Amino acid sequence: MPVWLIEIFGSRDLNNTFIFILLMTAPIWLLMILFDEASWVRKLAQPHILPPLYCLLLAVLLFKSHQSVILPDPLAPISYESAKDFSRHPISFLALFCNLQILNLTVGMYMYQKACSVQVRIRVELLLCWFVGAIALVPFTIRMLLKGKRI
């Protein structure tokens, strides 16, 4: 299905899906940042529990798009141009963005669990991880080293 057709007739749905994906991890981030010392948050913010649940959403998104035959051909020749064309497709972009949100949350949860185990508060690093992803590992690692903690 042509991208322009999807964007014309599905722009509202695409926008709503983007906002949903953008905000789906927000409650967990806010809990880890604002209630970092609560024991129930530590139990909830396990990287092996919540990210796989969010992966179900990604699987549904991919299944629905595959079922509707709206994804571009995944078996196109491997090149920069084909990857660029694939990521320009609205559904592919949403799937990649959902994947990014899940990966950022997983990295943040690992940082949170490590900080809890060594009793260090990392609110700034978690906020940084929420918005820019894995680059937050750099200030997290520096902070752990400066505090004399094992990484």
Side-chain angles (χ1 to χ4, degrees):
M1 184 176 287
V3 171
W4 63 269
L5 194 59
I6 295 170
E7 289 179 346
I8 288 174
F9 292 108
S11 63
R12 190 151 146 225
D13 289 335
L14 291 171
N15 191 46
N16 290 341
T17 305
F18 176 78
I19 298 298
F20 177 77
I21 292 170
L22 180 67
L23 298 176
M24 75 178 180
T25 59
I28 306 306
W29 283 111
L30 292 172
L31 287 173
M32 288 190 304
I33 293 167
L34 300 176
F35 303 103
D36 56 337
E37 293 183 356
S39 62
W40 60 274
V41 174
R42 288 183 193 160
K43 290 176 185 171
L44 179 67
Q46 295 291 326
H48 302 291
I49 296 174
L50 287 177
L53 290 176
Y54 285 124
C55 286
L56 291 175
L57 172 72
L58 178 59
V60 167
L61 180 66
L62 291 173
F63 177 74
K64 289 231 179 237
S65 60
H66 179 69
Q67 188 180 25
S68 303
V69 192
I70 56 177
L71 275 179
D73 182 20
L75 300 176
I78 299 173
S79 69
Y80 173 74
E81 287 300 317
S82 65
K84 188 168 68 172
D85 291 341
F86 182 79
S87 66
R88 279 189 188 148
H89 192 280
I91 303 301
S92 299
F93 173 77
L94 288 174
L96 293 170
F97 185 66
C98 185
N99 197 15
L100 177 68
Q101 292 293 321
I102 293 167
L103 290 173
N104 286 352
L105 182 65
T106 304
V107 168
M109 286 181 162
Y110 275 112
M111 288 172 32
Y112 174 76
Q113 291 298 327
K114 177 63 178 173
C116 287
S117 70
V118 296
Q119 298 176 342
V120 174
R121 298 179 104 183
I122 57 162
R123 290 180 174 170
V124 173
E125 290 86 347
L126 285 174
L127 195 59
L128 190 62
C129 188
W130 185 6
F131 294 115
V132 297
I135 198 144
L137 288 169
V138 173
F140 173 75
T141 303
I142 292 170
R143 180 180 241 191
M144 290 293 136
L145 291 174
L146 290 176
K147 291 211 176 246
K149 307 292 183 184
R150 289 192 67 208
I151 299 173

